[in-house]
């Protein structure tokens, strides 16, 4: 695509703060900038707002003891994120309950807290819980957001922020992608080029631009440069193509955490035109003493040689479930676990749906995974085998190897101990009684955790650690999660980071005083 130049001779319009991307981070930044006196424009590339945010389970991590939360974050991020960012995040988390209660004044949303410790038993894990938007009077997600197929309560959170954006009269423009940042002579951000039904426009941002345009789940070129594992199937939106990474890099931004993504493994839809992978069922997290307790997991995963290769029940499947698949065999010149297979027996097949499609796209018909997994057998996502030999033939392995794998697994289930991969005993379920069902599994990405580096004020930093003037980011773009993720942390990051960025951006002195005066008058 031919991009306009980074310098604009004139601007078509001016706002104080331009926020790019209308997911949760964009909403939080726009609301906060508005509440600090800025005239805000919120632009969204896609025809439907909500990004992947609207697909989310909807739980936000909060904790009221910033010191304990800080300790947890320091351990989970293993030195990849500076302490001052963790401090700012922990302080922001402690404000979220009161913040959400203020948002709820606009539409009567019911805000609840749920007990849930951190996913990993680091110091401070017991100081954390979830905040959720349980309900909003008169709101029905299926009816009101038919394009959004969510894990659970993400649409409630989106409805709440959208009500607040509308209530404040913040201007939102859909189908308006940001193309490139516009800079002044000192590499200071002065606006952004956008394309919309009005054509190509230079939008001036007199105080700052806040990039909240998500990650690079749908950018195959970035996957192949930063990840060894491939292919990795995006699950939720076609809009997140790394635009924010590219726009910030254009101005010299440093990058971090590009290797890290929230993923696990999942299925391919039989229709090659279906643009998303389908995530495996999300099981409760493995947290010592947590409620609900560890769940029974119906499946085992096998490599292409018919052998188990991993503990299927990671403490948090969507955080690390794909990492054991990330092995390239240079002798065989292939990824031995891409695809891998999940196998259940008939009892396991009946336990619960193995997958769930979650995406935000008005142009894609919803695919609902059946409760008993039988529709998926009809569709060919799962294949049925009446015997171990038939199962071995289906996946192209030696029947004796497969029989040995299943026998060893079933003996381990009887003993309640997995000496091969240390899967927790309470989660183990035999795979013993035919018919068997097998599905190919592929690595999937729900959201990426990296991008441009930012500081505790959410200013984007260049390769020497200096802020790029008037450029902020929030949300999963440039996420702070650098080693192990904390469930619910992405949503908190949208709100904590979005609020910091919006507030800071609104308080900058304008670079264009003439336009400032006009804005004040308008
Ligand atoms: C199925 C699923 C469940 C999840 N559940 C949870 C959960 O329960 N808790 C949790 O913490 N996290 C969860 N996550 C992760 C979390 O949803 C995301 O990390 C977070 O919502 C990202 O928000 P965001 O605002 O940064 O990005 P998004 O919500 O993706 O918003 C970015 C927006 O920017 C737009 N955009 C992109 N490029 C441009 C451009 N050039 N110009 C203009 N607009 C642009 C996109 O179209 C998009 O609308 C889940 C993710 C998935 C996929």
């Amino acid at each position: 695509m031919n991009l306009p130049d980074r310098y604009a001779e004139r601007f078509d319009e001016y706002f104080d703060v331009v926020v790019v991307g209308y997911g949760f981070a964009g909403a939080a930044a726009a609301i906060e900038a508005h509440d600090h006196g800025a005239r805000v424009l919120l632009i969204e590339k896609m025809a439907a707002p909500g990004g992947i945010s609207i697909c989310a389970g909807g739980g936000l991590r909060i904790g009221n003891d910033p010191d304990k939360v800080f300790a947890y974050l320091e351990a989970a991020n293993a030195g990849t994120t500076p302490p001052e960012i963790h401090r700012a995040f922990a302080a922001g988390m402690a404000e979220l309950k009161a913040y959400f209660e203020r948002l709820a004044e606009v539409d009567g949303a019911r805000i609840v807290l749920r007990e849930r410790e951190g996913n990993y038993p680091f110091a401070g894990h017991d100081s954390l819980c979830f905040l959720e938007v349980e309900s909003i009077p008169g709101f029905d997600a299926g009816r009101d957001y038919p394009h959004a197929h969510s894990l659970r309560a993400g649409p409630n959170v989106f409805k709440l922020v959208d009500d607040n954006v509308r209530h404040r009269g913040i201007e939102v423009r859909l189908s308006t992608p940001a193309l490139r940042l516009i800079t002044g002579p000192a590499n200071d951000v002065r606006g952004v080029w956008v394309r919309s039904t009005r054509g190509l426009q230079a939008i001036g941002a007199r105080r700052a631009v806040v990039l909240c345009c998500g990650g690079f789940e749908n950018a195959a070129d970035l996957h192949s440069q930063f990840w060894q594992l491939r292919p990795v199937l995006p699950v939720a939106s076609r809009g997140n193509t790394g635009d924010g990474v590219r726009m910030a890099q254009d101005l010299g931004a440093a990058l971090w955490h590009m290797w890290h993504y929230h993923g696990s493994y999942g299925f391919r839809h039989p229709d090659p035109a279906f643009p998303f992978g389908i995530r495996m069922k999300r099981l409760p997290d493995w947290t010592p003493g947590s409620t609900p307790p560890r769940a029974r997991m119906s499946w085992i995963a096998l490599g292409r040689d018919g052998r188990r290769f991993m503990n299927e029940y990671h403490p948090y499947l969507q955080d690390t479930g794909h990492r054991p698949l990330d092995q390239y065999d240079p002798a065989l010149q292939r990824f031995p676990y891409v695809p891998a297979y999940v196998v259940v027996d008939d009892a396991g097949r009946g336990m619960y749906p193995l997958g769930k499609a979650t995406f935000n796209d008005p142009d894609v018909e919803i695919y609902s995974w059946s409760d008993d997994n039988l529709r998926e057998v009809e569709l060919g996502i799962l294949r049925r085998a009446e015997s171990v030999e038939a199962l071995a033939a289906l996946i192209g392995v030696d029947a004796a190897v497969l029989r040995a794998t299943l026998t060893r697994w079933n003996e381990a289930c009887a003993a309640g101990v997995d000496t091969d991969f240390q899967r927790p005993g309470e989660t183990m379920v035999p795979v013993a009684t035919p018919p068997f069902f097998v599905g190919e599994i592929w690595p999937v990405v729900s959201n990426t955790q990296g991008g441009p580096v930012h500081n505790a004020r959410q200013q984007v930093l260049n390769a020497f650690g200096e802020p790029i003037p008037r450029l902020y980011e929030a949300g999963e773009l440039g996420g702070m999660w650098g080693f192990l993720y904390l469930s619910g942390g992405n949503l908190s990051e949208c709100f904590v980071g979005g609020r910091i960025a919006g507030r800071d951006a609104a308080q900058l002195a304008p670079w264009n005083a003439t336009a400032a005066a006009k804005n004040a008058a308008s």
Side-chain angles (χ1 to χ4, degrees):
M1 191 202 326
N2 279 341
L3 285 176
D5 197 86
R6 265 188 32 207
Y7 306 96
E9 284 181 9
R10 51 172 288 279
F11 289 95
D12 296 286
E13 290 175 88
Y14 281 103
F15 291 82
D16 289 319
V17 175
V18 178
V19 178
V20 179
Y22 192 7
F24 291 158
I31 291 169
E32 199 72 10
H34 171 277
D35 290 358
H36 282 79
R39 183 166 170 249
V40 177
L41 175 66
L42 176 52
I43 58 169
E44 164 57 44
K45 171 185 190 174
M46 307 300 275
I52 67 167
S53 295
I54 204 168
C55 306
L60 279 88
R61 271 298 169 175
I62 66 166
N64 288 327
D65 185 332
D67 288 336
K68 285 187 172 179
V69 173
F70 174 77
Y72 185 94
L73 295 172
E74 286 281 292
N77 282 302
T80 59
T81 303
E84 61 271 19
I85 292 182
H86 290 152
R87 287 270 177 223
F89 186 66
M93 271 170 124
E95 294 174 1
L96 284 180
K97 180 167 176 286
Y99 171 73
F100 268 77
E101 285 168 351
R102 281 200 303 280
L103 294 183
E105 287 168 12
V106 164
D107 62 9
R110 188 171 137 75
I111 310 298
V112 297
L113 298 186
R114 297 200 192 289
E115 280 190 24
R116 182 62 76 88
E117 298 173 349
N119 307 89
Y120 303 98
F122 299 134
H125 71 103
D126 53 352
S127 67
L128 293 153
C129 64
F130 271 127
L131 178 149
E132 289 182 6
V133 179
E134 192 178 63
S135 59
I136 300 177
F139 174 63
D140 178 326
R143 181 196 64 209
D144 299 338
Y145 295 150
H147 56 282
H149 311 292
S150 94
L151 209 51
R152 215 163 51 80
N156 294 359
V157 182
F158 189 74
K159 169 73 175 154
L160 175 59
V161 294
D162 194 47
D163 284 347
N164 274 271
V165 165
R166 287 165 193 265
H167 176 73
R168 286 165 172 78
I170 294 171
E171 182 162 355
V172 177
R173 292 186 193 164
L174 303 178
S175 303
T176 304
L179 305 178
R180 190 173 197 174
L181 293 164
I182 299 169
T183 55
N187 203 39
D188 54 319
V189 173
R190 296 197 165 182
V192 61
W193 286 107
V194 307
R195 196 183 300 284
S196 71
T197 49
R198 306 170 195 212
L200 180 68
Q201 282 191 299
I203 307 284
R206 295 177 312 97
R207 295 175 200 269
V209 170
V210 187
L211 295 176
C212 300
C213 41
F216 55 99
E217 298 90 76
N218 242 298
D221 61 330
L222 296 182
H223 294 188
S224 64
Q225 289 301 332
F226 289 99
W227 303 345
Q228 170 183 248
L229 190 56
R230 66 196 62 180
V232 182
L233 313 179
V235 301
S237 159
R238 288 191 272 193
N240 290 3
T241 51
D243 303 6
V245 175
R246 294 175 221 272
M247 286 189 277
Q249 271 196 297
D250 190 27
L251 274 57
L255 301 179
W256 65 3
H257 309 152
M258 291 294 281
W259 68 273
H260 190 200
Y261 57 92
H262 190 61
S264 85
Y265 45 85
F267 302 95
R268 277 186 193 275
H269 192 277
D271 178 355
F274 189 86
F276 304 115
I278 302 173
R279 303 196 328 171
M280 288 297 292
K281 180 180 173 61
R282 189 189 186 298
L283 291 165
D285 309 337
W286 174 15
T287 48
S290 72
T291 313
R294 290 173 188 168
R296 298 178 78 224
M297 182 186 249
S298 56
W299 69 87
I300 54 172
L302 305 182
R304 287 160 68 183
D305 59 0
R307 296 182 165 90
R308 282 182 74 226
F309 62 98
M310 67 184 289
N311 165 15
E312 297 86 353
Y313 201 95
H314 278 197
Y316 185 14
L317 180 65
Q318 271 68 26
D319 180 19
T320 56
H322 54 288
R323 294 190 196 180
L325 278 63
D326 195 352
Q327 294 176 49
Y328 184 71
D329 184 330
L332 295 175
Q333 300 254 321
R334 67 178 197 196
F335 290 93
Y337 308 122
V338 182
Y341 301 98
V342 290
V343 180
V344 296
D345 70 3
D346 202 39
R349 195 258 321 141
M351 277 171 64
Y352 42 64
L354 287 169
K356 180 164 171 61
T358 46
F359 57 87
N360 173 11
D361 199 321
D363 298 327
V364 178
E365 199 180 323
I366 179 56
Y367 170 70
S368 298
W369 194 286
S370 63
D371 285 345
D372 57 9
N373 298 295
L374 287 178
R375 179 164 174 238
E376 287 60 42
V377 178
E378 274 169 39
L379 287 170
I381 299 177
L382 300 174
R383 288 180 291 166
R384 174 183 169 127
E386 302 302 330
S387 64
V388 173
E389 287 67 28
L391 180 63
L394 275 183
I395 61 178
V397 298
D398 186 326
V401 171
L402 184 59
R403 184 169 290 287
T405 298
L406 295 181
T407 301
R408 187 165 175 82
W409 172 250
N410 291 327
E411 286 172 359
C413 291
V417 181
D418 174 18
T419 52
D420 293 333
F421 298 101
Q422 289 74 50
R423 177 162 149 183
E426 342 45 320
T427 74
M428 294 166 68
V429 172
V431 181
T433 315
F436 300 105
F437 298 85
V438 60
E440 277 183 1
I441 48 164
W442 302 80
V444 298
V445 50
S446 303
N447 61 279
T448 52
Q449 306 281 26
V453 179
H454 66 76
N455 61 15
R457 289 170 60 188
Q458 299 292 137
Q459 294 170 299
V460 177
L461 304 182
N462 71 17
F464 297 106
E466 300 155 344
I468 298 172
R470 301 181 187 278
L471 183 61
Y472 294 81
E473 67 177 356
E476 67 160 325
L477 176 66
M480 65 175 219
W481 307 100
F483 191 56
L484 289 173
Y485 171 64
L486 168 66
S487 59
N490 280 128
L491 296 197
S492 307
E493 186 173 33
C494 288
F495 286 96
V496 172
R499 293 187 70 207
I500 293 173
R503 192 182 314 141
D504 217 274
Q507 291 173 349
L508 291 180
W511 58 268
N512 179 336
T514 316
K518 276 193 197 155
N519 259 357
S522 66

